[in-house]
Amino acid sequence: MGLYQEKKISGWMTILLLGAIFAALFLPMLGVVREFLHNESLFAVEAQEFDFSLPVVTAHKVIQNNFPLYPALSSVLYRYTGMSMETVLRLISIGMLALTSVIVYLAAASVRSSRAGAVACAMYFSTTIVLEKTGEGYPTTTAAFFLLAAQLLFFHYSIRKANWNRAWVVAALLLALGFFAGGITVLVFLIVPLFFLRRPMSIREKVGKPGFIMAVVILAIAILGWLIPLVQGTKSMDLELIEWDKMTILNFFRNLASVLGTYPIRLLPWTLIAWLPFCVALQQLDQTPIFSRYLRTLAFVELGLLALLPMLDIRDLIYQLAPLSILVGLSYDLGVRRYGLGLRKLLKLGEIFLLGIAGIIVLTYFLPEGLLGRIFSIANTLAFRETAVCRLGGAVAICVIVGIVLLLRFSRSQMPIWLNLLLIMTGSWILFSAVLLPYQAQDTTKRKFGRDVAAALKPDGGRRIYKNGIIDLYGGLYYSGAEVIRIDNLDNLPEDDKVIYLISQEFPQRSDRSWVNLFPEDYRYRKHRISLWKGTLRKE
């Protein structure tokens, strides 16, 4: 196979391209405000009610099993910027991804070249898993920032500077911040890989150093500073906090198959070159073998943790993606020189795929809804496409995708493979921005539920609701503006309050009060019957 030579792009032009594409991918997620997704509402109420005088996260007078850094940052932005809570949560998630992408770029560029940095950065922020999860208001990218900083600085001070004391202390400080954002998972993703390191990175002879002792003290203070108030507040240590209840044989093999089976899909389109760092022929030519071996250990062990521990979430793959992206950036030049011609042929499929994406957008915007429903499963209305803004956006999206296809088609011999992959992902993600995002934004079920609750409480001026026997509802109740207190059973209701409000699915079995349902008898929320009870204390 002949050697493949790739045209280079200047460093500044590369940075401008990366910045522009990052903005094109993620700004639409902030421009179109969707209702709270999944558990975003829990972080919303924690941020709204965050008390900076307390060392743990509290919400609705109940201590939640979450960690304080992300709600604290969200609370500050929410209180002093005037942005909506949905925007605040997602802005932090996207902003921390941007900061981590910069670290990924610098880590690869500092030891190899600006092109290595560009490849690493582009892969990190444009894989399927990152694009899918970052637009949701979760603390994962915040924790990933501190975890990667700890991993890289640990290597920098231990191997490059031969200062193991500083390496332990700096890593522990960053890891403590990561723990306050992501919890135990962050500690596991740094500490466990250390036991698999080989010389000269082996830690066996370095654990007796003063820096190691200080690092243990720092982490112990951080963990106890979070754990002790949690135990005091709940009067017990909830085992569900670390979710050992999920560790069953069935869940083990189900998680193993899910992670390993979907891993290549979640790395798309970078799966095409993600294997390059693990090619033995390329490893023999590596100019930084110790750094690469360190990163490979991190990538392998973290993927193993994801596959073997059912309590970990698939979004935690973002932690593993950072060292893998740097690895791909470091091996890119050697890899494309050897395999570039074959990779270039495979990339032709990307152009066909993008044309298919453009076709879907055309059908979505211009095909009658009844006919479209026979092709795709449509749960909600397509009313969004009737607005002039969305129609214009759909037309622009189609033109942009066609433009990308033409650019890829006629610049194939000159365009770098990494930029080709990035543009394919950008064109593919336009489907989300032009169709799925406005489609999801139409759903106002939670807001409507919140308005219904507020309207039912308004005549009496009620502001506090007790919630019993319903797993979720935080999202909808957030929009009601009411204070929500979760109770485990009806015995925890206040005894002396003349009037209380209880939301539940069953009639409250408390004879000391007369109960009136403020909702219509047939009221349903997401296909479930819900009642809002007004309980008035009976006169003795």
Side-chain angles (χ1 to χ4, degrees), residues 260-274:
L260 298 182
T262 62
Y263 184 68
I265 298 173
R266 297 187 182 275
L267 288 187
L268 286 173
W270 299 91
T271 311
L272 196 64
I273 62 173

Side-chain angles (χ1 to χ4, degrees), residues 34-36 86 446-447 450-451 474-481:
R34 296 171 288 172
E35 287 186 339
F36 290 122
E86 297 95 335
K446 294 177 181 177
R447 288 189 176 94
R451 289 194 298 267
Y474 276 122
L477 291 175
Y478 175 89
Y479 291 112
S480 72

Side-chain angles (χ1 to χ4, degrees), residues 399-413:
C399 293
V400 170
I401 294 177
V402 172
I404 291 175
V405 172
L406 293 175
L407 180 63
L408 295 177
R409 175 67 180 83
F410 294 106
S411 302
R412 186 183 299 154
S413 61

Side-chain angles (χ1 to χ4, degrees), residues 457-476:
L457 294 175
K458 187 175 180 179
D460 296 332
R463 293 286 301 164
R464 176 178 294 178
I465 299 175
Y466 293 90
K467 184 170 76 75
N468 175 55
I470 305 177
I471 297 177
D472 199 357
L473 285 190
Y474 276 122

Side-chain angles (χ1 to χ4, degrees), residues 136-177:
E136 301 175 2
Y138 276 74
T140 307
T141 57
T142 303
F145 170 81
F146 292 109
L147 174 62
L148 180 62
Q151 291 170 333
L152 294 177
L153 287 177
F154 179 78
F155 179 87
H156 175 75
Y157 286 116
S158 62
I159 295 300
R160 293 175 181 165
K161 299 296 183 180
N163 190 337
W164 280 86
N165 286 322
R166 180 173 295 182
W168 287 118
V169 173
V170 170
L173 289 172
L174 290 168
L175 204 58
L177 291 173

